[in-house]
Amino acid sequence: MSPVIAIAGGKGGTGKTTIAVNLADALHRRYRLLLVDADCSNPCTRTFFSAAKALWQKEITLFKPQILEERCHYKACKRCVELCPEHALLAQPNKPPALIEDLCNGCSVCQIVCNYGAITEAQQVVGHLYFSEVDGNLHLLVSELTPGSRKNPVVVHHCMVEAERLSDHYDLTLVDCPAGTGIDLYLILRYATTAILVTEPTLLALSDLKKLSQLLLMAGGKPTILVVNKSGINPNLEKQIVSEIEAHYVVKIPYDHRIFRQVSSGRLLTHLNSKYAQIFDKLAEIVVQLAHLRC
Ligand code: SF4
Ligand code: SF4
């Protein structure tokens, strides 16, 4: 697999998607790049590449048990209830077991252990993957969770498996990670060769950043770049963040009210002016160095 750069931010709103799309823009001029939007609850990268040409899309489905009442020996048997690893089946008086969908991980153990063939397969669509071409050097793989579904880890897992399958065609894979510090982020960090932690000088962001650093260690530790967004709004806290988070490199993006206008209208910062183009060129250079790519 080509080097994987995971861009994570802990809490939402630190600007990780902004970093991901602008870094992709800076890198793809010299490298073949796969940009993966693994923030499946709220994928936003497409907003910045609205002219991308759609190439394919796929459903992500999960096994869902369907119990046939006429075959189920529920008065004498509770086997599926007892052996379900997620306790997703609930025994009911005078009825077949009920499924608690949120708990079910689709493992199909219940179907295997039922001696009466009373469980058939129904499928639930938990998300989609969309693959598109921005230009010859930049492709976009976007994951999207089905509204109302809580199967984020399943969707992220499928997304990363697909990214791994595609990655041989690219020099680098950039992953815009989900917010938070949950299992879905951990799944991505395990693939990552480098992590970019995006933060801002606020206490809330620092608290999440510490959790993020712990998760990174659990995933084996990675060369880390700390990106401080809105730099300058709280210099003391910024110093504290930089000293507490032991990153290999620190890149600062100064606070500028024009950033909000540019980003909210789906435009890249690298197109705002040469100052931002230079910041992302610098970040791209560090990424290339850590990924051991030749310029
Ligand atoms: S294992 Fe099969 S027969 Fe037993 S309760 Fe479950 S569905 Fe019914
Ligand atoms: S598919 Fe797995 S998790 Fe879901 S109900 Fe069956 S045994 Fe339990």
Side-chain angles (χ1 to χ4, degrees):
M1 191 173 186
S2 59
V4 176
I5 318 301
I7 302 165
K11 83 175 194 65
T14 57
K16 66 179 175 48
T17 299
T18 303
I19 301 303
V21 294
N22 285 285
L23 179 59
D25 185 58
L27 281 165
H28 92 287
R29 290 181 222 127
R30 283 183 294 156
Y31 299 98
R32 287 169 303 149
L33 202 70
L34 176 63
L35 175 59
V36 179
D37 192 337
D39 192 358
C40 62
S41 311
N42 187 25
C44 295
T45 49
R46 284 179 294 204
T47 317
F48 296 88
F49 302 111
S50 52
K53 182 177 144 206
L55 297 178
W56 54 253
Q57 72 176 69
K58 281 182 187 172
E59 278 183 348
I60 301 171
T61 57
L62 201 59
F63 172 87
K64 178 181 166 186
Q66 191 168 35
I67 300 181
L68 305 173
E69 186 162 359
E70 64 279 13
R71 288 199 193 165
C72 177
H73 291 231
Y74 50 84
K75 286 187 181 145
C77 172
K78 299 274 181 289
R79 204 166 149 75
C80 59
V81 175
E82 287 160 5
L83 294 176
C84 169
E86 302 293 340
H87 307 291
L89 289 165
L90 196 65
Q92 311 186 92
N94 303 320
K95 277 189 200 169
L99 175 70
I100 306 167
E101 279 193 34
D102 276 350
L103 297 182
C104 175
N105 67 12
C107 67
S108 77
V109 163
C110 50
Q111 189 184 38
I112 295 164
V113 300
C114 176
N115 292 328
Y116 301 96
I119 299 185
T120 59
E121 177 171 355
Q123 288 203 328
Q124 48 178 322
V125 178
V126 294
H128 286 85
L129 293 178
Y130 301 92
F131 188 58
S132 58
E133 181 178 83
V134 177
D135 66 29
N137 255 9
L138 176 58
H139 286 84
L140 187 56
L141 176 66
V142 175
S143 61
E144 192 167 61
L145 188 71
T146 298
S149 171
R150 293 171 62 183
K151 303 291 187 235
N152 308 48
V154 176
V155 173
V156 168
H157 169 72
H158 276 77
C159 179
M160 291 310 293
V161 168
E162 190 64 48
E164 187 175 25
R165 191 184 69 78
L166 292 167
S167 74
D168 284 348
H169 303 292
Y170 304 94
D171 299 314
L172 270 173
T173 300
L174 284 191
V175 186
D176 183 13
C177 295
T181 49
I183 183 71
D184 41 0
L185 177 59
Y186 177 72
L187 287 171
I188 298 168
L189 293 179
R190 279 196 325 187
Y191 281 89
T193 49
T194 298
I196 298 180
L197 307 184
V198 183
T199 192
E200 57 187 22
T202 64
L203 284 173
L204 205 56
L206 174 58
S207 156
D208 268 28
L209 203 53
K210 287 179 184 169
K211 284 189 240 160
L212 200 52
S213 299
Q214 280 173 8
L215 198 67
L216 207 51
L217 277 179
M218 285 167 61
K222 315 282 168 182
T224 304
I225 305 166
L226 179 66
V227 174
V228 184
N229 245 332
K230 299 181 188 161
S231 173
I233 61 169
N234 188 339
N236 289 338
L237 188 55
E238 199 169 311
K239 267 189 209 148
Q240 188 186 341
I241 289 174
V242 172
S243 69
E244 285 195 27
I245 305 300
E246 290 174 4
H248 296 81
Y249 293 91
V250 178
V251 173
K252 297 185 177 186
I253 301 183
Y255 176 75
D256 181 342
H257 66 277
R258 289 172 302 173
I259 290 181
F260 176 75
R261 214 172 42 226
Q262 186 80 352
V263 170
S264 59
S265 55
R267 293 197 296 259
L268 294 167
L269 293 183
T270 44
H271 298 178
L272 181 61
N273 59 38
S274 60
K275 177 176 135 189
Y276 290 105
Q278 280 166 14
I279 289 173
F280 283 98
D281 280 346
K282 179 182 165 196
L283 182 57
E285 261 175 46
I286 297 170
V287 165
V288 166
Q289 202 178 321
L290 289 174
H292 305 299
L293 293 175
R294 277 186 285 135
C295 296

